[in-house]
Amino acid sequence: MKAGPSRTNRPDNTAFTQQRLPAWQPILSAGIVIPGFTLIGLAFIGVGVALFVTSQKITDLEIDYTGVAATSPCFKCTSFAAENCMCQMEFTLTTLFEGPVFFYYGLTSYYQNFRTYGVSKDGYQLSGDTYYFNNPQDSCAPYQYDSNNNPIVPCGSIANSMFSDTFQLYQVVNGMKKQVPLDGKGIAWWTDYNIKYSNPALVNGSFANAFSGTVKPVNWSKPVYELDPTDQANNGFLNQNFLVWMRQAALPKFQKLYGRIAEGDYAQGLPAGNYTLLINYSYPVISFGGTKKVVLSNVSWMGGKNQFLGIAYLVIGSLCIVMAMVMLIIYAKYKFTDDDEDM
Amino acid sequence: MSWITPIPTARCHGADEPTRTVVSNLPYEDQRPRNQPNRRYAGNAVKTNKYTLWSFLPINLCEQFRRLANIYFVGIAALNFIPEVNAFQPQVALIPICVILTLTAIKDAWEDFRRYQSDRELNGTPCLVYSRSQHGFVERRWKDIQVGDFVQVLANDIIPADILLLHASDPNGVCHMETANLDGETNLKQRRVVSSFCAVKSPFDPLSFNATVICEKPNNNLNHFKGFLEKDQIKIGFGIESLLLRGCTVRNTAAASGIVVYAGHDTKSMLNNNRPRYKRSRVESKMNKEVLCCVFLLFCMCLIGAVGDVPIYFIPDSDGNETPSVVAGVYRFLTMIILLQVIIPISLYLSIELVKMGQVFFITQDIDLYDKEKDMRMQCRALNITEDLGQIQYVFSDKTGTLTENKMVFRRCTIMGTEYPHTENGESGKWNGVELAWKPSVSARRHTGMLWCIKHGLLLSHSLEVIPDQNLLWSVKEVERRGVAGHWGLQGATHLEFFLALAICNTVVVSTETAQRQRVRDPVQSTLYDIPTSSSSVVSEDEVQGTPCKGHTRRRQTWTASSLAGPKEVHYEAQSPDEAALVHAAKAYGFTLLERTPSHVSVRLPSGTTLTYEVLDVLTFDSVRSRMSIIVRHPHTKEIILYTKGADSGIMERLQNSFEDRSQMKSESRVIANKTQKHLDMYANDGLRTLCFTRKVVSEKNYYDWLVLRQGAMAAIDRKDELVRKTAADMETNLTLLGATGIEDRLQENVPETIQALREAGIQVCVLTGDKLETAVNIAYSCKLLDQQDLVFTFNTENTVQIQLSFPQLLHSVHGCRGIHCNPVFSSTCPATAQALVGLVIDGRTLGLLLDSDLQEGFVQLCTHCRAILCCRTTPLQKSRVVTLLRSKLGVMTLAIGDGANDVNMIQAADVGVGISGQEGMQAVMASDFAISRFKHLKKLLLVHGHWCYNRLANMIIYFFYKNVAYVNLLFWYQFFCGFSGTAMIDYWFMIFFNLFFTSAPPIMFGIMDREVSAAVLLQLPELYRRGQHEGGYRRSTFWIAIADAFYQSLVCFFVPYWTYKGSDIDIFTLGTPMNTASLFTIIFHLAIEIKSWTVVHWVIMVGSVVVYFVVTLAFCAMCVSCNPPSDPYWTMQEQMSDPMFYLVCILTTVVALLPRLRFPLADRYISQFLSKPSEMSCLPRLGELVALVSLGETYFQNTFVFRRFKLLTK
């Protein structure tokens, strides 16, 4: 024999190569499964109860103002002829609507998630790149240039179809209308406001000049730099309502935040009483069978009102408990006959 | 021997002539290439790489696009560039196909580069080529060699091209060649200088060579070559024995020179250089049907998308016009295809390849399949049929060398009708068999002649152990004492002639100490073996064989010293172990084969005198004649003697039937023949291999008459083999029987156990052998293939009608009462009990009828009802036809296992071919898909690795389908809420990552490493193998259950988040995040439920996948403000992960999605407990063991058990 370590073909005798690695084989025996199911069931029921209770505590109020019915105050605005139509919806709160109250507008049958709609925007333009002001991307078509071949800013379907109704909420106190302040600041995502979207630099000290050579979207009544006449900072691409609109809703029935009621007399919420909602009605939805509504809601740690999750947890938790019971019965029944040989 | 007058042959010249004409290049050395006579033939430079630097991209892409899957993928990506239908950003959609193409291209490029490197190295190897200008051999490179050049190869050098040997340094014109590189055979092959050049003066002068070489066109037959030299209208034939093959190594010869006839790619070794076999496994072809199911599914889903229409506002197409609804529908259909393409698991093919690579790695790593003695691992030569090993239903096995050791031991002999039982010999043989287990390992890489002896150390020691039968030894001595060497009286001489025949009539090559193969590069060995005296030689052998046989060796040493009385130990190199055994037997009686050259053979007689016979011709063995002969001239009497040995069937009919006038001789010879036949039958019954030996004196005239015919046959190009065989048969007539030998071929270890286990696993074992019926049956009983209680039908007739008539009866008896009737046609053993099973024994002649005629159907039917099938005296072709017949008629998965060249056909015909690297070279291994070294390894290979591989792969494939459907359906459900517009609520990058990083590693690991049942249990309970045979792991129903489960899970993963966030202000990607996450958890935990045993690797990969998901998603969401505009998942993950609802949704979704999966195994458990009541246990054999194992915690058994239970109940 050769002295020393001879090179052979002998495979390594390691646990890995010989497939002998120590292995854990999960065995779902009754002793594990029944307590396991019970525990999961109990935990789920606990979570379910918490969710359900929380959800119950949340109050929300929906006011449909589409105006399909002739009796609706907004019916008059549904005809195409109506320009700058204002309508007024009234509602009464019997108890305090606890704050902070969130003011949403909601749309149904509205496919903001439609693919060709969703891609119809120009991210570079919206990030303030002035090159794209004059040369909007093709994805914006047909809202890329207007009929005079002027570039549209902001271009694309999403921007063009921006929700244009405006709302004012009044509390009727002693017959007098007292305006409830709707705080429209900070309703958009922080990252949208601070990182993704930005306005172009001022030109000659003027914000409007930065947009010179461009036209407003076809459906808009005023250019993007004049969206909010009350607050100069809330204009351009950083307009909060614009940002909220630009974040496309995932489902055809959605609501979007319009403002918060958290100031002054209404910091604790809306007190009981009569309220008037003044709507500047301009956004057409009837043509595609959609509806419009306003939603007032307070929120908890779990967001808005949602019964589903709590109920689902309760159901699944109960199911687990039931299954554990059934198994326990089977186990008890067959334990003494079969487990003698089995165990 | 000499130039002979030419036989006029019509030769046509032209491009398509059937021969190649080669003349010397030397006269044209200085001329321009276009004047070179051999310019049309390929040069010696080889190029095996497919690509060059420039052609790589186009050619490689072309090859990749031959795969349908890639075209599909590219088509989808191209579709994305059409604005009307695109679902994703076109550039990004190209990523998956680019990744796959690039990975494959890198793999191909690397392989090709390796080939290029090895080519370059080979082409640059130096060699010696004759140069006219320098009047000698000068060093050139391999690539410079042209056909027609004269090349000299020195000892231990590799032969650069196929060279016609014209000169060798050996005075006899012999050159030895080691062909290990070519066919793996380690014994030396003898090559002879073309006969007319045999005696020419040394040194060789190529300038004087002026003949034309005419030979056949290049072909890949390594054992066949023919042609002739033509000079001045005289032709001289040559054959394969004069051709040096490229890639082989010259040994034992200082220098060999010749003219190059084939170069480069035309050489036999290059033509034999096949790429790895590609076989399609059964699971894979079944899987392809499932892929079609997926296509159908995709089509349905896309159709729903196409007709689903929702009135959409504010979204005209880019021209501002409305698209007509039909066209819009077509667009939507195409968009949906793009969106849902992943449902067809393209990555599955890549993953399967990876999984099989892993499986092959583990199989080859198995230490139980490692053979210490030969230092050989299990080899997987076909990489893609590992799972077929788990579905085998029929095993076709060779006998010799597969079931048996193929290590031959001389056992008994009969001479002139007298039997010499060699009783002592038998005992020593048994004793030696025990010793076998002690043998230490010897490296098989050392392909030297010595090694042959060491590897066959058992044989050597055995043969030396042949203890002469005292009676026989005495009579041999007596006869020899009576006469001077070679002048014995005819009467008593048969004993001597018998042993002379044993020693001479073979092709064994002798290598003595001095004639050892030198190995310059291996000094250790040369010092070890070049020890001059016999005693040290034996000691050195002793070292090799290890210490346990010290005492035994010493005994041998003394015996050697006294009996041989020679200074040198001789070593025999035989191509067949039978011959080696015979030569060693002769040696034991003092007839020592001393030397063999093509021209003479020397034998030392017991008295010490040496006889040197002139060898006139050797009629080599072929399977048609089943015998070989040697024609020698006796040194003293100058008689021409023909010694023939062969199987009794080939000999007995050729014995002389008349001694002319001496009638008593006639009767005597008949008596001897009858007695010998009786002895032969007895040997065969004992399971011995028999050979008959004959002798014949040929008159000078007869010989020379015959020689003319013979040489004519040798020079023939057309039908050469047939002519040669015919001339050989002409000579082998009127033989005088000398005697016969019985050689034992011991059963390999654990063969009965292995066969037993295979049978319990539901595998039919058939043995196909070329041996005699009696020998085969005997072996079959001893290896438990047949049981004493079996009803054995023996077919041994050539009468078609007889068989035809008996078939229905036979089938009936097999079907019905298990054959109580004994049919007169068949010799059948009546069963002891009605429970006995049926064995079928078929002789080769009958088998021919069964295969050819319309009896096929009945034969196949009979086979299905037999427990064992044994076919004897089969030809290689018949073997493969049996395999093909059963495979095609029954549609069963077949495995053929064999060790010799005669098994190659069968191995190739079967679904899975297994080669045993045995004593008979490597042809079987070369043709096989898997190569093992012992038959017993088959047990673990099939029962453990086959079972594992099949289950792993089946589970992996099912899981893959499930995974893709489950994930893609998420997108599909979303289409109902986005107007069937093809919006994805998950960013496209995440979808790519999901398949690429997050969920790819776990199933691959699952496919490589999962272990449902431990190896020990699988070996203990071969019944578990049946699951794979009936495709228990991979059935259509399993597939559809998995798909249904995928639909359910995707519904849950979509609708739980949907209902949670319905009506809220959630945006697209924020809704997609919990869906994606829940889906990932579901898919990962689903696999976790499937995994039966968790090792460290499992934990790392499973936990790692989840961690990678969160890390990558968070990183991507944090860094990409607008990575692929207009899609923007920026900060969505962070937003979601800061919301407690996200976790609640994910937990709920995962639990609900997996509840059915969790419940099923539990239900199984209770059902199985319910079913395993003691009262029903009697129906199932070994149920008790099953139950015992269940208690050990093998949950798997319950599934198997339930499966079997249900089968039983439904029957």
Side-chain angles (χ1 to χ4, degrees), chain B residues 713-879:
Chain B
M714 295 301 272
I717 281 207
D718 298 328
R719 304 195 311 144
K720 176 177 169 179
D721 293 334
E722 201 182 312
L723 287 172
V724 168
R725 200 181 304 136
K726 192 176 167 300
T727 52
D730 289 345
M731 180 50 95
E732 292 157 340
T733 50
N734 284 334
L735 307 170
T736 313
L737 187 67
L738 291 171
T741 55
I743 296 172
E744 190 192 22
D745 186 8
R746 227 193 330 270
L747 223 53
Q748 281 186 16
E749 52 183 326
N750 291 341
V751 167
E753 290 85 346
T754 307
I755 289 184
Q756 183 70 24
L758 292 181
R759 191 168 276 164
E760 281 172 25
I763 301 172
Q764 271 264 33
V765 182
C766 310
V767 172
L768 310 174
T769 176
D771 251 348
K772 288 188 64 152
L773 196 128
E774 291 80 7
T775 314
V777 169
N778 198 284
I779 292 281
Y781 276 114
S782 63
C783 69
K784 298 274 192 304
L785 186 71
L786 293 173
D787 195 77
Q788 292 299 341
Q789 292 174 350
D790 283 355
L791 171 67
V792 177
F793 292 115
T794 309
F795 282 82
N796 194 359
T797 174
E798 276 182 281
N799 190 335
T800 319
V801 185
Q802 208 174 9
I803 304 172
Q804 223 157 12
L805 286 174
S806 57
F807 249 144
Q809 207 178 346
L810 195 61
L811 277 171
H812 176 255
S813 64
V814 171
H815 269 302
C817 50
R818 290 281 183 210
I820 309 290
H821 327 284
C822 294
N823 197 296
V825 180
F826 320 101
S827 62
S828 63
T829 325
C830 277
T833 63
Q835 287 288 313
L837 295 157
V838 179
L840 195 61
V841 180
I842 304 169
D843 188 76
R845 292 175 301 170
T846 320
L847 188 64
L849 297 175
L850 291 174
L851 290 175
D852 283 328
S853 63
D854 45 7
L855 294 170
Q856 276 189 2
E857 283 296 332
F859 172 58
V860 170
Q861 263 192 19
L862 199 59
C863 283
T864 56
H865 292 100
C866 287
R867 198 170 88 112
I869 301 163
L870 184 64
C871 300
C872 321
R873 292 223 183 273
T874 50
T875 63
L877 192 67
Q878 277 180 333
K879 286 186 180 188

Side-chain angles (χ1 to χ4, degrees), chain A residues 9 11 16 18-19 23-24 30 113 115-116 142 196 247-248 250 252 255 288 306 313 323 338 342-343, chain B residues 86 313 315 362 365 367 375 377 952 974 977 981 983 1011 1060 1065-1067 1094 1128 1144 1159 1169 1191:
Chain A
N9 260 326
F16 175 70
Q18 300 309 310
Q19 308 192 54
W24 171 65
N113 57 11
R115 185 175 50 83
T116 44
K196 266 170 85 168
R247 187 159 278 275
Q248 301 148 249
Q255 59 190 36
F288 58 88
N306 184 350
Y313 262 96
M323 274 166 66
D338 292 324
D342 196 35
M343 296 290 156
Chain B
N86 72 337
Y313 186 58
I315 310 123
F362 277 120
Q365 284 292 322
I367 203 156
D375 189 39
R377 293 181 187 192
R952 287 167 177 176
Y974 189 59
F977 301 96
S981 60
T983 310
R1011 208 181 61 199
T1060 307
D1065 58 345
I1066 195 157
D1067 66 288
W1094 290 73
D1128 51 352
L1144 291 175
R1159 259 196 54 250
Q1169 282 191 353
S1191 66

Side-chain angles (χ1 to χ4, degrees), chain B residues 66-99:
Chain B
R66 275 191 210 147
R67 275 188 221 150
L68 205 64
N70 285 342
I71 293 179
Y72 168 80
F73 227 175
V74 167
I76 299 275
L79 220 55
N80 240 322
F81 280 89
I82 305 170
E84 279 82 10
V85 298
N86 72 337
F88 305 113
Q89 293 67 54
Q91 299 79 8
V92 185
L94 279 175
I95 289 171
I97 180 67
C98 286
V99 167

Side-chain angles (χ1 to χ4, degrees), chain A residues 35-53 301 308-322, chain B residues 1052 1056 1143-1155 1158:
Chain A
F37 266 66
T38 316
L39 278 179
I40 292 172
L42 289 177
F44 269 44
I45 289 173
V47 173
V49 167
L51 281 170
F52 191 72
V53 170
W301 59 269
F308 168 76
L309 208 57
I311 294 171
Y313 262 96
L314 285 172
V315 169
I316 299 299
S318 316
L319 205 66
C320 286
I321 299 280
V322 169
Chain B
V1052 171
V1056 170
Y1143 303 99
L1144 291 175
V1145 168
C1146 287
I1147 291 170
L1148 181 71
T1149 311
T1150 313
V1151 169
V1152 174
L1154 291 175
L1155 266 185
L1158 266 176

Side-chain angles (χ1 to χ4, degrees), chain B residues 209-225:
Chain B
F209 181 87
N210 53 2
T212 306
V213 182
I214 290 153
C215 57
E216 55 190 12
K217 288 256 174 200
N219 60 49
N220 66 352
N221 190 340
L222 283 176
N223 299 317
H224 192 264
F225 171 69

Side-chain angles (χ1 to χ4, degrees), chain B residues 45 78 105 220 307 336 365 411 417 519 548 642 669-670 676 692 752 782 798 872 968 1033 1116:
Chain B
N220 66 352
V307 297
M336 296 294 272
Q365 284 292 322
R411 265 297 152 79
R519 263 237 161 168
L642 169 86
S669 75
R670 200 176 279 161
T676 308
C692 296
S782 63
E798 276 182 281
C872 321
V968 163
F1116 188 83

Side-chain angles (χ1 to χ4, degrees), chain B residues 151-166:
Chain B
V151 174
Q152 186 171 52
V153 190
L154 303 179
N156 300 323
D157 277 353
I158 297 173
I159 300 161
D162 285 357
I163 298 168
L164 186 65
L165 187 62
L166 299 176

Side-chain angles (χ1 to χ4, degrees), chain B residues 131 269 313 390 510 512 611 618 740 793 853 897 944 1145 1150 1183:
Chain B
S131 158
S269 71
Y313 186 58
V510 186
T512 54
L611 286 182
V618 177
F793 292 115
S853 63
I897 179 167
V944 178
V1145 168
T1150 313
L1183 189 70

